Amino acid sequence: MSGEFKTPGQSGLILNEKLLWESGRKGRSAMSPVVSGLPPVSLPPDLAGDGPDWPDLSEQQVARHYTRLSTWNFGVDTGTYPLGSCTMKYNPKINEEMANLPGFVKAHPLLPAEAVQGELRLMYELEQFLAEIVGLKAASLQPGAGAHGELCGMLMIAACHRHHGQNRSKVLMPDTAHGTNPATAAMCGYSEVKVPLGPKGFMEYATVEKLMTDEVAGLMVTNPNTLGLFESELHRITEMIHQRGGLVYGDGANLNAIMGRVDLGRLGVDVVHYNVHKTLSTPHGGGGPGAGPVAVGDRLLPYLPGPRVVKNGDRYEWKEDLPLSIGRLHGFHGQFRVLVRAYAYILSMGPELKTASDLAVLNANYIKEKLKDVYDLPFDQPCMHECVFTNAKQAAARVSTLDIAKGLIDLGFHPPTIYFPLVVDSAIMIEPTETESKEDLDAFIAAMRQVAEEVRQNPETLHQAPARTFRSRLDETSAARRPILTGDMG
Ligand SMILES: *Cc1c(COP(=O)(O)O)cnc(C)c1O
């Protein structure tokens, strides 16, 4: 290893790993119990017989196996993770400690309200915090993810129209929308009407106005949108939608840009979901639990899922009698311990949540300005918490967006989001978050510039990248169509 340490990706000790079945040796065991002198016990007939073919391993083999596998993983605790749209910010470890307090871990959702006053208080207060942060009236913690929050919000919009005798069958959404938006609309029985993107990267009033008819139940909008741009005409748009009897769903996946800064209620949003696993610093990814609470304004308040936690004097209780509620969306009360993390995060941040959003926006603009001379920036204007480039300047050298992403891996960075949003051809979408230091941002910028330099000098090397990782470029089509799930990995 030579040269100065510019980026964190360096080759080094990379350990290969066999399957446990290949490492086992008959008779090896993780522990040697003291000989007890008790007579051997034979298994009941239904448990006897061949049983599963478990490998025989020592404790050390098992510990090393899983520790090595963990080093093949990459997470926010490993390094910069600029995955646009996903807000991979650092999760303070204090949130984990709070979620692991024995009172929370051992609470059973069927315990009577008197036995879980602390949990109910936490839920009650968290709902209030969430509503407050976006300028809305009340919240529900039941939805288990962003997409589930969308389902909750659109079911409430449908229930509200039904209650008022309205039969509306369509939903407007910009063509920058995340795929879950049209899917949600379809699950609620609506057909989707696409609003084409305006020249500045957000929806234009005149376009939406032409599409808004009596058949339209409302608008689903992400703000800032998936290009990282603020929907600057949204205020006029929501006013017009409301005048014509529609409601507005806010997809809150990008709330990290505007916490405490933008009053969504005044902006005309009737319901918004939070992705607490993005914005409120709880673990994210790997298919683990997230949470997608929703906050609503006055119009949709009666339709919130039930039962709801209410405060009666200084006691907290469940309110079941909610005649207009869309009912339950969750077996119990939501992903409780994910919500504990969000509560701990909000309490520990307090008014600094605004600063987090300010820094998220500053960091994205810093990266945008430092890279726009070497990468094509389709919308060259101030961005919010993420910025979108393309490979247009590298395309003549036959280097794709995928090649650029793979090149970054060799320099020790997780790639940004690529090929999303779909409205931008070959997008490279970078979201640094507020938790990266200036030094880390500069190292990332240096790596992106180094990749661009490599494109100028040896574009072919990028077709082979990554070369320094445990596995080099994968045949992604075969990996998806013909996965090899057992056998030799070497
Ligand atoms: C992440 C995301 C969603 C979906 O959220 P999940 O929590 O993954 O279900 C919806 N919309 C946008 C814009 C997103 O980025």
Side-chain angles (χ1 to χ4, degrees), residues 85 145-147 150 178 180-181 222 226 251 253-254 273 275 277-278:
S85 206
E150 290 177 37
H178 190 265
T180 48
N181 290 190
T222 310
T226 59
D251 177 324
N254 292 340
H273 80 253
N275 301 69
H277 43 292
K278 296 179 181 171

